[in-house]
Structure formats: C-alpha cells, structure tokens
C-alpha cells in the first residue's frame, strides 16, 4: 500500500485493561481505537478502514460486503470462528490470526483449575474459620484426589494440549488422546490415540484443547457424560460451544461426574440465569475466560498483531487463515 492505511481496532479493551501500550500501532497507519463495539456499531466503526483488528467482534458476510475498502482482518486470537472466512475470501480480504501466544498461561490455568478441583482447595479456603473449631489438627471434611497414576484424556493435542499433557506426565499421570480423523496434529506420537468410547469411559480427567467446529459442537453432552466415570473430572479452557451446558449442569447435579472446571462458556458474558451459574451446582469452578490474560501473553499477542500488519504492508501476508 502506498498511502498510510486506516486501521481500526474494534475491541481494544479485550486486550488492554490499562497496562499495555497500543499506541505503537499508529506507526503502521492512522489507528482508531474503540474499547468495545456492539453489533449495531460495527459498520459505522469500520467505515473506510483498510485494516481492522478484532478479538471477539463478529465480522459476518453483511459486514464484509458493506466494507469496500477493507483489505485485512487481523484477529488478535487464535480462533477465528467470529469471522465469515468464505465471505472474506470472496471479497479478496485477507484474514490473519495469532497462534501460540497464550500456550504457557492457558496450560498453567488448566492445571490450576485441575489442582483446585482435586484438592477441593476452593472449599477449604472458603471455610478458614472452621479450622480453629476442628477437634483434630487437620480437617478431613472434603475429599482430596491424588493425580499420580490417573489417566489424563486430552482432546486436541496441539501446542496447549501437548503442554498440559507434558505437565500432567510430570505429576505421574498417563496420557491418551481422543482420536480425531480430521486432526493434523502429530505431537507426542507416543501417546495412544483412542476411540471416543475408550476416551470417555477410561479417562480420569478430560481436558479440552480443540478449536470449535461444526463437527465437535456440543461434543460434551448427555451421551458422552454418561460414559464418564463418576469419579472423573472435566476441564474446558478451550471453547464454550464444545459443551452442551444444560447437560453438564444436569450431570453435576446428579453426581454423574465428580466435578468440572470451566474458563469458557458458549455465550460470553453469560446471562445471569445461565444454567451453569446456579449456586446449587456442586463441584463446579468457573473463571471468566481469563486463562489467556497474563501480561506476558498479551505482549506476545500485540507482537503478533504488529507482525501480521507489517507482513501485509510489505506484500507478504503471514499467518493467513483461509476458507477450506
């Protein structure tokens, strides 16, 4: 591009709560920052933009076809399910994403959730006033589960899933991976790839680390939950749409599984009456999609966004996501 491009960041508040300097983006174009953008505001906010940056704002076919100057969509995330890739392709718009920026912190958060579930740490922390009343030196009120020797089931053995598996192995766990015909990941070939039936019935812990697709939407449902052990734990730090949330709520209420920990829901932020926000659901931990949010990860993300813009402006687009 010969002239300075117009760049619009549609939801900068998702990336910068005040500890990150986004002004560097002005070096690459005339940049406008919107903290948030509602569906009704999207078209107006990207008017005449050559490049847009979005984290979670939906860019559908209607937006694409009514944005004649748009040439590049930079998604400041790995997942691009908020972008109509076909519409972008048909309009000659390049879509790029940023991968692997959050791998260490998402794996850390996944293990943190698991350890809290297994140790019932959250319950003991909420009952600190009960310790002085104990007739013995300790409290045995809530069960503690040892992970050594347990089977960790990984669904999605990409970078994050692989790191979670590696950490789990160091704690003495055995790893197997859900076999998926469409997966191109060959990480850790020594980990057995097992059928869906074996995966759900034999795993002591199931942790999801796969992208959301039409094929795996609601892969956690009443049928798969029924196959799980009553002593098993379920972790999701990937995508909320992988889970039928009503079915999971029912499974927890009936003690069909021992517990669950989630960092994502299908709609974010959720409605107040969301089925998994009920206070009476036992053994459920929910964090508000924070697994990726360390300052270190967000700095890496910003570097990735800048790199994608620089590559595009130099005529050599990088990290392009194409419609299959």
């Amino acid at each position: 591009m010969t002239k300075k491009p117009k760049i619009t960041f549609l939801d900068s508040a998702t990336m910068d709560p005040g500890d990150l300097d986004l002004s560097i983006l002005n070096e690459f174009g005339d940049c406008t920052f919107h903290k948030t953008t509602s569906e009704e505001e999207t078209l107006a906010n990207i008017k005449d933009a050559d490049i847009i940056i979005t984290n979670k704002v939906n860019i559908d076919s209607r937006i694409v076809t009514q944005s004649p100057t748009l040439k590049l969509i930079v998604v400041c995330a790995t997942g691009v399910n908020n972008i109509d890739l076909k519409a972008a392709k048909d309009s000659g718009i390049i879509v790029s994403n940023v991968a692997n920026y959050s791998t260490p912190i998402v794996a850390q958060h996944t293990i943190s959730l698991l350890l809290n579930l297994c140790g019932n740490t959250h319950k003991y922390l909420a009952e600190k006033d009960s310790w002085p009343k104990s007739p013995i030196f300790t409290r045995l009120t809530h069960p503690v589960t040892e992970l050594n020797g347990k089977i960790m089931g990984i669904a999605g053995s990409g970078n994050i899933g692989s790191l979670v598996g590696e950490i789990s192995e160091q704690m003495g766990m055995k790893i197997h991976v859900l076999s998926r015909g469409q997966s191109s990941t060959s990480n850790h070939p020594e980990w057995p790839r097992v059928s869906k039936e074996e995966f759900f019935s034999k795993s002591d812990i199931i942790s999801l680390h796969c992208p959301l697709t039409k094929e795996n939407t609601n892969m956690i449902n009443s049928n798969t939950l029924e196959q799980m052990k009553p002593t098993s734990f379920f972790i999701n730090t990937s995508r909320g749409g992988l889970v039928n949330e009503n079915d999971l709520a029912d499974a927890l209420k009936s003690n069909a599984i021992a517990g669950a920990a989630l960092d994502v829901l299908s709609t974010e932020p959720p409605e107040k009456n969301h089925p998994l926000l009920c206070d009476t659901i036992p053994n459920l931990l929910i964090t508000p999609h924070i697994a990726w949010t360390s300052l270190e990860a967000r700095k890496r993300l910003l570097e990735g966004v800048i790199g994608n813009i620089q590559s595009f402006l130099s005529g050599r687009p990088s990290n392009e996501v194409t419609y299959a």
Side-chain angles (χ1 to χ4, degrees):
M1 299 183 69
T2 56
K3 67 181 180 69
K4 199 173 184 181
K6 182 176 179 180
I7 303 173
T8 300
F9 199 148
L10 292 174
D11 49 356
S12 63
T14 64
M15 188 169 167
D16 176 31
D19 57 359
L20 199 62
D21 184 8
L22 299 179
S23 65
I24 189 173
L25 290 167
N26 286 302
E27 295 182 13
F28 309 101
D30 179 12
C31 198
T32 300
F33 297 92
H34 300 280
K35 288 185 179 296
T36 60
T37 294
S38 67
E39 183 178 349
E40 295 75 22
E41 296 170 328
T42 304
L43 268 177
N45 285 357
I46 66 175
K47 184 180 180 181
D48 301 327
D50 300 293
I51 299 171
I52 62 172
I53 305 169
T54 176
N55 190 330
K56 292 293 181 286
V57 177
N58 288 321
I59 308 299
D60 57 22
S61 59
R62 179 182 66 89
I63 300 296
V64 168
T65 55
Q66 295 185 55
S67 304
T69 63
L70 187 58
K71 301 174 182 66
L72 173 67
I73 300 171
V74 180
V75 183
C76 45
T78 302
V80 294
N81 50 293
N82 58 319
I83 310 298
D84 189 323
L85 294 176
K86 183 180 186 303
K89 178 182 179 181
D90 292 344
S91 296
I93 298 168
I94 293 172
V95 179
S96 64
N97 69 339
V98 183
N100 303 327
Y101 69 93
S102 64
T103 297
I105 190 61
V106 175
Q108 176 181 310
H109 192 72
T110 301
I111 297 299
S112 173
L113 290 174
L114 176 59
L115 294 176
N116 272 281
L117 271 181
C118 291
N120 268 311
T121 314
H122 55 294
K123 294 179 181 178
Y124 282 113
L125 289 173
E127 298 171 355
K128 60 182 182 295
D129 293 340
S130 297
W131 194 6
K133 304 172 186 177
S134 176
I136 58 174
F137 75 96
T138 185
R139 294 185 67 222
L140 303 175
T141 311
H142 306 294
V144 172
T145 300
E146 187 172 299
L147 289 171
N148 182 57
K150 297 295 191 295
I151 297 175
M152 164 67 85
I154 301 287
S157 57
N159 291 328
I160 295 174
S162 291
L163 183 53
V164 168
E166 290 162 11
I167 296 170
S168 300
E169 278 191 316
Q170 293 300 310
M171 294 191 291
M173 301 182 69
K174 301 172 184 177
I175 314 299
H176 66 193
V177 176
L178 176 62
S179 177
R180 296 185 301 135
Q182 71 273 27
S183 175
S184 60
T185 302
S186 58
N187 294 341
H188 288 284
E190 76 278 12
W191 293 344
R193 268 57 177 176
V194 299
S195 68
K196 182 177 178 180
E197 292 73 18
E198 183 176 354
F199 181 80
F200 284 102
S201 64
K202 293 190 176 180
S203 296
D204 296 297
I205 297 95
I206 287 176
S207 191
L208 303 188
H209 302 285
C210 40
L212 179 62
T213 66
K214 291 180 181 178
E215 291 73 25
N216 64 18
T217 297
N218 287 340
M219 65 181 287
I220 304 300
N221 54 54
S222 58
N223 290 330
T224 52
L225 288 162
E226 286 173 3
Q227 296 175 51
M228 293 171 63
K229 300 177 182 180
T231 55
S232 64
F233 295 106
F234 169 67
I235 314 289
N236 187 15
T237 55
S238 186
R239 289 289 182 266
L242 297 168
V243 179
N244 183 310
E245 293 162 337
N246 284 302
D247 289 355
L248 178 59
D250 290 342
L252 290 166
K253 289 176 183 177
S254 65
N255 296 312
I257 62 174
L262 314 172
D263 186 57
V264 288
L265 294 173
S266 59
T267 301
E268 298 170 345
E271 298 290 336
K272 288 184 178 180
N273 62 350
H274 189 282
L276 289 170
L277 296 183
C278 176
D279 290 336
T280 60
I281 297 179
N283 295 330
L284 173 63
L285 300 178
I286 295 183
T287 52
H289 206 142
I290 60 169
W292 67 282
T293 60
S294 70
L295 177 59
E296 295 86 351
R298 287 182 287 113
K299 285 181 177 178
R300 290 190 293 267
L301 178 56
L302 178 57
E303 291 171 0
V305 169
I306 290 170
N308 286 341
I309 293 174
Q310 287 178 314
S311 298
F312 171 77
L313 295 178
S314 70
R316 299 183 298 274
S318 60
N319 302 311
E320 185 174 354
V321 183
T322 58
Y323 176 74

